[in-house]
Amino acid sequence: MQTNTILNGLQPTYLSQSALLGQPAFEVPTLVPQPPRPAVTEDIQVETTNVWGTDFARLDMAQTIELADRVVKIRQPEYFVTANLNYLMLCEEHPRLAEVNRRSVAVIADGHPIVRQSRLGERALPGRVAGADLIVELARLSAIRGYRMFLLGAAPGVSQAAANELCRRFPELQVAGCYSPPFRGLTPAEHAEMLNRIKQSRTDILLVAFGQPKGELWIYDNLQELDVPLSIQLGASFDFLAGTARRAPEFWQRVGCEWLFRAFCDPKRLGPRYAKNIAFLIKKKLAGVSPRRPLAKGTAS
């Protein structure tokens, strides 16, 4: 039986003790937006539902993994976006995210409020696809297909601990590398070296934990240089696997209160964020914005 392969050429760079859990491991440089590029979605059509201005893929977990498998096999650099309520709020604050979403293969719904809102329309989303579950299913897929995974970001040692846990669950998983960039602005040479290390690792699936929206913007800005078939920003998923953060019990997840559990566990850091998310949700509800059916190609808006 094939055993785990974890390449240790990428040793974690340790952060200062002041770095907070869930924060990006370095200051993402502001890059010039890329010109329009051909997307793999020209060959793979994903049915969508619009919720609060964002087109979400109508996919459950099994369909998301099937789509990931197809994207990796095409070998063209692409990415998914996993979007929760906080991400939708950030979309209003960062106009570039609209382009990031549009160019993605799929925007995956990682939030119960998004799914519930979609049910007010005619094309409801099948359910939530949680990033914390998605990372496990991607590892399962990789172990079966022989895909190589790279874990990038999070606090020092967290990506390696997450990789170790995934390898424990899936003994045939190949981890191409784990790396936590320093929590400071990288020089152009350091940034280029990091990109080169990822590229040289021959990874098939790049999982990023830089925080929202820095992770999504970083993937978009560096996608072509990375030359990785599939990249995804997955936030706190590394910490859940590594045991540095507690995920809500299943009951809290089922009733849509995972956010409340996390707020109780880390009120100083997450309390203000969730307060803003609640205010954003109330604003959207009061505005009476409901999902609209996607327009057919060639139909005027």
Side-chain angles (χ1 to χ4, degrees):
M1 177 181 295
Q2 184 180 0
T3 57
N4 298 135
T5 302
I6 302 181
L7 304 185
N8 295 319
L10 303 182
Q11 297 298 330
T13 300
Y14 290 89
L15 313 179
S16 65
Q17 292 183 352
S18 63
L20 298 177
L21 176 66
Q23 293 297 311
F26 70 102
E27 296 176 12
V28 179
T30 301
L31 303 179
V32 177
Q34 294 180 336
R37 59 183 178 81
V40 75
T41 46
E42 293 177 356
D43 301 314
I44 299 177
Q45 296 299 319
V46 180
E47 188 179 10
T48 63
T49 290
N50 189 280
V51 179
W52 291 320
T54 296
D55 289 326
F56 284 87
R58 299 187 68 229
L59 302 172
D60 59 20
M61 179 64 77
Q63 293 166 329
T64 300
I65 295 302
E66 180 183 356
L67 179 61
D69 191 23
R70 294 176 65 189
V71 169
V72 173
K73 287 177 179 177
I74 290 174
R75 311 304 300 175
Q76 175 179 316
E78 292 294 345
Y79 62 94
F80 291 172
V81 171
T82 56
N84 55 16
L85 192 63
N86 186 66
Y87 182 80
L88 292 188
M89 181 185 72
L90 291 171
C91 284
E92 294 192 350
E93 300 174 5
H94 300 269
R96 284 191 63 206
L97 289 178
E99 174 66 11
V100 171
N101 297 339
R102 188 177 71 84
R103 291 292 183 181
S104 70
V105 176
V107 179
I108 308 299
D110 183 4
H112 287 290
I114 296 167
V115 175
R116 285 195 289 265
Q117 182 69 16
S118 75
R119 291 172 180 165
L120 300 178
E122 299 178 7
R123 302 166 67 84
L125 296 169
R128 178 192 181 204
V129 178
D133 298 323
L134 181 59
I135 190 173
V136 174
E137 295 307 315
L138 287 169
R140 187 192 311 276
L141 170 70
S142 298
I144 293 171
R145 298 292 197 211
Y147 297 152
R148 295 161 61 82
M149 292 179 61
F150 194 111
L151 281 71
L152 176 67
V158 170
S159 61
Q160 186 67 63
N164 291 342
E165 173 60 19
L166 290 174
C167 287
R168 184 190 68 80
R169 299 187 192 187
F170 308 106
E172 295 187 355
L173 177 64
Q174 299 180 58
V175 176
C178 302
Y179 185 60
S180 295
F183 189 62
R184 58 171 172 76
L186 300 183
T187 66
E190 288 173 329
H191 191 255
E193 174 61 20
M194 181 173 67
L195 295 179
N196 186 60
R197 287 179 173 183
I198 297 169
K199 187 173 181 178
Q200 292 299 316
S201 73
R202 298 180 291 108
T203 189
D204 300 296
I205 299 177
L206 173 64
L207 305 179
V208 179
F210 288 161
Q212 296 174 330
K214 292 183 178 181
E216 290 83 3
L217 292 169
W218 184 86
I219 289 172
Y220 177 79
D221 284 330
N222 296 283
L223 192 67
Q224 297 303 315
E225 179 66 22
L226 287 167
D227 196 29
V228 174
L230 179 60
S231 300
I232 312 174
Q233 154 70 28
L234 283 177
S237 302
F238 288 24
D239 292 293
F240 293 144
L241 285 169
T244 52
R246 289 182 60 194
R247 192 177 181 194
E250 186 176 347
F251 172 77
W252 291 68
Q253 298 176 42
R254 210 167 45 240
V255 299
C257 290
E258 187 169 3
W259 64 273
L260 185 58
F261 179 88
R262 292 190 64 197
F264 285 153
C265 292
D266 193 355
K268 184 176 180 180
R269 184 175 69 89
L270 294 178
R273 178 183 125 175
Y274 288 132
K276 290 177 66 178
N277 292 167
I278 292 171
F280 172 80
L281 179 60
I282 292 173
K283 181 183 75 171
K284 288 298 184 183
K285 290 291 187 181
L286 292 179
V289 179
S290 61
R292 57 176 174 79
R293 297 182 63 179
L295 296 174
K297 291 184 177 180
T299 304
S301 57

